[in-house]
Amino acid sequence: MKKKALLGIDAGSSSVKICSFAPDGSMLQSINRPVTLQFEPGGSVSFEPEAYWHLCCSIIKEMLCPGDLDVQGIGFSTACPSMVFMDHRFAPVRPGIPYLDNRASRQVKRLREKGLRLDNPYSVSSCSIANAMWVRENEPETWGNTDSVGMLNSYLAGNLTGQAAVDWTQASYSGIFDLKAPGLWDQSSLALTGIEEEKLLPPAKPFDRIGTVNSAASRLTGLPEGCPVALGAADTAAAAFAVGLEEPGWAFESVGTSGVLTFVLDKPDFDPVFMNRCHVYPGKWLAHGAMSLMGGALEWVRKKIWDEYSTPSEMDAVLSESRPGAGGVVFLPYLAGERSPVWDPDAVGVWYGLTLASSKADMIEAVYESSAYGMKQILDIASEKFGCQPGSILAVGNGTKGECWNQIKADVLQVPYYPVQNADAAAFGAAMMGGIASGLFSGPYDPQIPQLQKSGKEYLPCGNDLFREYEKSYRVYISLYPALKSIHGNPEEPTS
């Protein structure tokens, strides 16, 4: 007898992961395949949308090969923003533009000068329409061949169903969408861009049925024709839905290439230090303290600096040779500029405090600690702005597998730190949205929707003596960027 299943397709910046879950939330299967971003001269970053589609097809076909799954619904989770330019058949007309790319910074600046009002910081990451402006101005032939502009889940859903839109969690980062009253594109904001509205896919709810699997996609994947599909959401929003992050005052961390500390708001009272968006839950909003590179900084160290460590766990073991505070060595993880809280695409990474006594272990320890210091900086601002003082922090993502790293975060933040039982939170949230699209659940507030729970492992904060060592380095950490910004670039509005 076939097992009823919901598929969550999580297309991130480093991999495509597809998970199948039973309607009660239990994992049935998970398959993960790597993808590669293209880092180009001049600092541009791109991705090949077709590589994502081909991986989705092959993974789904492999997952369905035994013939024991009865797929009831499908949902997407994707890195955000990851913009795709498509023709009328949803075929890409150029490489996609991911959130790490800053080529359209000048267009953002120009929109700001024209009076564009954002509920977010003025950056390409939270004003993705600037990418469309860049393509129109620098690649007119490509723009002429573009019939629709959307996000990575728009593209994947279009190829799966023949229908596409931009879900409201990702529309929130477009610069032309009213977060306070989510609906259509904001006409006054759109007019400032000069972009033709007919080239933009319409905004939509992430959990509504965008369409059903068409015959062509059925042949490529083995999925049943007519299977309901939800457009899904941005990865961090999908993960927030997966853990049931609904009440104000709650917080959770998503640990991947980037690192995001997320807070729930029950009213659209935004602060520009955070990336603000509509939640999957209607009538709720999310404020993200989004660091550009968290796991990405560790991967950079492991692959570019000390490549003798073939796995992350091998590098983790080096932490036993260092000590809290990393012997006075402090690292700024701004290897691709930085988002929260400084919002400076020109910011750069730094190791500070090196002496003859410093060791390789200290330098590696400092990279691990930098993510915790960045989180503490964001949490301190959220406490002041929103009165948010969470009693604990849930954590999702592959980065939660590092026990030493988890403990460092608990120690620096001085709150209990709890990884959830399933690291595939974004895929889980996407699958549950697929369950809503299929009618299995009545809506996002349906109490029958399962949620991810804490794992059995908890990380409790250290005592005062140990914390004082972290506190010394933290004070250096928050002082470094303001002290160095005149050397490596001067942001328009430093926020911290």
Side-chain angles (χ1 to χ4, degrees):
M1 183 176 177
K2 289 188 175 183
K3 305 171 188 174
K4 289 186 177 182
L6 298 170
L7 294 191
I9 300 174
D10 180 23
S13 57
S14 59
S15 69
V16 172
K17 180 184 296 180
I18 302 182
C19 303
S20 58
F21 301 92
D24 66 1
S26 56
M27 170 79 81
L28 298 175
Q29 195 174 2
S30 175
I31 300 177
N32 190 0
R33 298 284 185 272
V35 291
T36 304
L37 297 179
Q38 285 78 49
F39 293 85
E40 303 159 9
S44 294
V45 189
S46 65
F47 65 92
E48 294 298 334
E50 288 180 323
Y52 281 85
W53 172 241
H54 294 322
L55 277 175
C56 284
C57 291
S58 64
I59 292 172
I60 293 171
K61 199 165 189 177
E62 179 181 345
M63 187 170 282
L64 298 182
C65 184
D68 59 347
L69 295 184
D70 177 14
V71 179
Q72 302 284 297
I74 303 163
F76 292 98
S77 156
T78 55
C80 173
S82 296
M83 187 169 275
V84 183
F85 300 80
M86 297 165 277
D87 65 16
H88 68 286
R89 295 182 177 178
F90 300 113
V93 298
R94 73 173 317 283
I97 302 177
Y99 71 94
L100 288 171
D101 184 277
N102 287 309
R103 75 184 74 194
S105 295
R106 290 182 180 178
Q107 283 73 18
V108 174
K109 182 179 180 180
R110 197 161 71 236
L111 286 173
R112 186 176 190 176
E113 292 169 347
K114 286 183 175 182
L116 179 70
R117 295 182 62 83
L118 292 183
D119 291 317
N120 272 307
Y122 287 88
S123 79
V124 181
S125 293
S126 50
C127 187
S128 60
I129 193 65
N131 288 320
M133 295 170 64
W134 186 93
V135 171
R136 184 191 59 189
E137 294 166 14
N138 292 274
E139 300 176 358
E141 184 175 350
T142 297
W143 186 249
N145 293 328
T146 299
D147 288 289
S148 60
V149 180
M151 298 296 169
L152 182 53
N153 60 336
S154 311
Y155 163 75
L156 295 173
N159 279 269
L160 197 60
T161 70
Q163 304 293 325
V166 177
D167 75 89
W168 67 27
T169 72
Q170 307 212 45
S172 297
Y173 289 175
S174 65
I176 54 171
F177 187 70
D178 187 355
L179 279 66
K180 297 180 176 68
L184 301 176
W185 297 119
D186 182 74
Q187 293 300 310
S188 60
S189 299
L190 184 59
L192 296 175
T193 70
I195 297 293
E196 308 95 305
E197 186 173 8
E198 58 267 23
K199 287 186 181 283
L200 302 179
L201 293 169
K205 297 175 183 176
F207 47 82
D208 279 353
R209 183 185 298 195
I210 188 66
T212 60
V213 175
N214 61 30
S215 58
S218 177
R219 289 192 297 271
L220 288 170
T221 63
L223 287 166
E225 189 174 347
C227 181
V229 178
L231 185 58
D235 47 10
T236 309
F241 182 59
V243 299
L245 195 77
E246 182 185 339
E247 295 300 323
W250 293 9
F252 94 104
E253 185 200 14
S254 178
V255 196
T257 301
S258 59
V260 185
L261 191 58
T262 297
F263 309 91
V264 180
L265 307 178
D266 60 359
K267 56 184 178 181
D269 181 18
F270 304 128
D271 186 279
V273 165
F274 298 92
M275 295 186 74
N276 305 291
R277 61 156 44 112
C278 299
H279 202 336
V280 174
Y281 293 109
K284 304 284 185 182
W285 290 264
L286 297 174
H288 301 300
M291 300 171 65
S292 293
L293 290 176
M294 186 175 280
L298 293 173
E299 281 295 281
W300 171 79
V301 168
R302 188 174 67 83
K303 292 181 177 179
K304 296 288 186 72
I305 308 301
W306 289 292
D307 59 3
E308 65 265 30
Y309 302 116
S310 58
T311 65
S313 59
E314 289 182 9
M315 194 168 74
D316 293 351
V318 179
L319 296 180
S320 62
E321 301 172 22
S322 186
R323 54 211 183 276
V329 180
V330 178
F331 182 73
L332 276 186
Y334 302 165
L335 302 174
E338 184 56 297
R339 295 187 288 176
S340 298
V342 300
W343 294 103
D344 181 4
D346 297 319
V348 296
V350 172
W351 262 299
Y352 173 82
L354 294 170
T355 71
L356 288 174
S358 301
S359 66
K360 176 172 69 174
D362 291 331
M363 296 178 73
I364 293 174
E365 168 88 18
V367 179
Y368 280 89
E369 290 182 4
S370 70
S371 60
Y373 297 146
M375 285 180 64
K376 178 172 170 54
Q377 190 176 18
I378 290 165
L379 183 57
D380 287 349
I381 295 169
S383 177
E384 179 182 347
K385 300 289 185 181
F386 307 133
C388 186
Q389 296 180 320
S392 63
I393 290 179
L394 289 175
V396 302
N398 285 328
T400 62
K401 296 175 182 177
E403 294 196 1
C404 292
W405 201 16
N406 293 341
Q407 188 61 57
I408 287 170
K409 291 175 183 177
D411 293 341
V412 170
L413 297 173
Q414 286 292 286
V415 295
Y417 187 87
Y418 298 101
V420 300
Q421 61 193 188
N422 187 331
D424 303 319
F428 185 96
M432 296 307 117
M433 284 182 258
I436 297 171
S438 72
L440 185 63
F441 307 119
S442 62
Y445 288 105
D446 189 335
Q448 299 304 311
I449 297 178
Q451 297 172 350
L452 295 181
Q453 304 298 318
K454 299 174 183 177
S455 69
K457 180 72 174 178
E458 63 179 10
Y459 298 86
L460 301 178
C462 62
N464 290 335
D465 290 345
L466 202 57
F467 176 68
R468 277 193 287 270
E469 296 302 315
Y470 288 118
E471 186 71 12
K472 291 176 188 175
S473 291
Y474 174 64
R475 287 197 294 269
V476 174
Y477 177 91
I478 61 176
S479 300
L480 271 177
Y481 172 77
L484 296 173
K485 68 185 180 187
S486 63
I487 298 174
H488 60 68
N490 192 12
E492 292 182 276
E493 281 194 4
T495 54
S496 181

